[in-house]
Amino acid sequence: MNITNADLHCHSVVSDGTLSPEDLAIRAQTNGVELWSLTDHDVIGGQARAQKAAIDLGMKYVSGVEISVSWMDQTIHIVGLGINPEHEGLVAGLLQTRDGRVARGKLMADQLAKVGVPDAYEGAMQFCGNPELLSRTHFARFLVDQEVCKDIEEVFTRFLTPGKPGYVEHAWATLREAVTWITTAGGVAVIAHPGRYRLTELQKDEMYKSFKEFGGQGIEVVTGSHAPYQYHEYEKVALRYGFYASRGSDFHSPDESHTDLGTLPMLPTSLKPVWSLFNFN
Ligand code: AMP
Ligand code: MN
Ligand code: MN
Ligand code: MN
């Protein structure tokens, strides 16, 4: 089957999005998405609901997750597509990755209190649908709600990023672990939004090579996290390293996200879409 509109990256209230899996499915279908994936951070609790909603609306669905990885003192994200959400190794690995978010959140709040923003832990929790997944996004929503910042973008320039108040280092999964959990669960590993990482060309080369060596096969080329000029940049990367290409909005919220579900340009025609690896019934 020829898919033209695939959106294989977004978030629900099960992680740091603001819509339910069902409301995301409706939004995707309304915007013409034919193949959809919900890729919550480090959690697969929304997969059954997303799949059911997608099928009921006549869309194709591939299961998904976005795993937080620590690599070279940075956080990078690896999307897993077509995984078996019940695979024991994956389930255990994600549980291990989620562990520590609450303790980290308390340390983040301590830092924010010191710069005059009290009660941020409780405040962030008010915006959080799943305490195991308490994330910087929930703190950002609290800071906007408190009128400390005018929007989420301002939060991530003044707070919550390395060197700024409210940023706490965390050891996520290793790259090898994330790719292995995904592939042993029958999925395809995809490097999320490569244009966002502050890595040198040499470090990026090392990341692509290690990712491949561990069994990774895909890279996001057209994503809501890339500026249009980066589509071509990562088209070249996909060709050079032999990666399958993915497309996804990284939609989190109607009030916050610049890119809506299903509205990005198509993948460059030179690339092999990652969804060509999946069999649809
Ligand atoms: P965490 O996993 O708790 O470290 O939170 C990471 C999340 O914060 C990402 O998935 C994004 O949703 C959000 N985030 C990080 N940087 C930015 C940014 N510059 N602008 C908007 N959201 C961001
Ligand atoms: Mn997020
Ligand atoms: Mn991400
Ligand atoms: Mn994401």
Side-chain angles (χ1 to χ4, degrees):
M1 167 175 175
N2 209 8
I3 306 259
T4 54
N5 194 343
D7 193 319
L8 304 180
H9 190 148
C10 69
H11 300 274
S12 76
V13 284
V14 178
S15 65
D16 62 348
T18 62
L19 300 184
S20 65
E22 290 80 8
D23 285 345
L24 284 168
I26 291 169
R27 198 174 180 99
Q29 198 258 353
T30 304
N31 290 352
V33 172
E34 296 155 299
L35 173 65
W36 180 51
S37 184
L38 171 66
T39 55
D40 277 314
H41 296 286
D42 305 320
V43 68
I44 33 143
Q47 290 305 305
R49 287 167 62 187
Q51 172 150 31
K52 179 172 188 315
I55 304 294
D56 286 351
L57 290 163
M59 288 186 289
K60 306 270 182 205
Y61 188 78
V62 279
S63 55
V65 66
E66 180 176 22
I67 304 183
S68 311
V69 165
S70 296
W71 192 81
M72 289 244 179
D73 296 332
Q74 284 221 25
T75 300
I76 66 170
H77 286 168
I78 302 294
V79 165
L81 297 172
I83 41 155
N84 168 7
E86 279 154 30
H87 185 272
E88 271 180 34
L90 175 69
V91 169
L94 294 178
L95 189 64
Q96 172 196 315
T97 307
R98 289 197 295 275
D99 186 42
R101 277 186 179 267
V102 163
R104 170 193 185 233
K106 289 182 177 160
L107 295 172
M108 289 165 66
D110 289 346
Q111 286 192 19
L112 291 169
K114 284 190 188 131
V115 295
V117 186
D119 303 325
Y121 177 78
E122 296 74 16
M125 277 292 186
Q126 300 274 309
F127 290 90
C128 182
N130 176 6
E132 276 194 350
L133 239 298
L134 179 64
S135 96
R136 285 186 287 158
T137 314
H138 303 113
F139 282 86
R141 290 187 184 129
F142 171 68
L143 289 169
V144 173
D145 179 67
Q146 294 296 295
E147 297 178 359
V148 176
C149 294
K150 70 174 188 320
D151 57 24
I152 299 270
E153 231 161 281
E154 188 189 331
V155 175
F156 282 99
T157 59
R158 291 176 49 203
F159 300 94
L160 311 186
T161 47
K164 304 285 165 66
Y167 183 76
V168 174
E169 286 277 337
H170 195 76
W172 303 113
T174 67
L175 182 58
R176 185 195 290 274
E177 284 172 333
V179 174
T180 305
W181 297 335
I182 291 165
T183 54
T184 55
V188 178
V190 177
I191 298 174
H193 40 64
R196 264 180 40 185
Y197 310 132
R198 294 198 180 170
L199 298 167
T200 64
E201 287 309 304
L202 214 61
Q203 288 171 328
K204 281 196 170 176
D205 177 64
E206 202 177 321
M207 175 176 73
Y208 301 140
K209 284 180 178 156
S210 299
F211 173 74
K212 255 190 112 136
E213 184 198 317
F214 301 149
Q217 289 186 280
I219 193 167
E220 287 184 348
V221 172
V222 176
T223 140
S225 299
H226 282 172
Y229 78 89
Q230 291 175 310
Y231 304 156
H232 185 55
E233 188 178 334
Y234 290 97
E235 175 188 11
K236 286 190 291 187
V237 170
L239 290 171
R240 187 172 332 132
Y241 292 88
F243 289 138
Y244 287 84
S246 193
R247 171 183 188 260
S249 55
D250 207 355
F251 181 81
H252 283 69
S253 163
D255 300 326
E256 296 162 12
S257 299
H258 302 295
T259 308
D260 206 342
L261 285 154
T263 60
L264 283 166
M266 298 299 139
L267 285 180
T269 54
S270 63
L271 300 179
K272 293 174 293 184
V274 70
W275 53 91
S276 65
L277 292 167
F278 301 119
N279 289 318
F280 304 111
N281 42 7

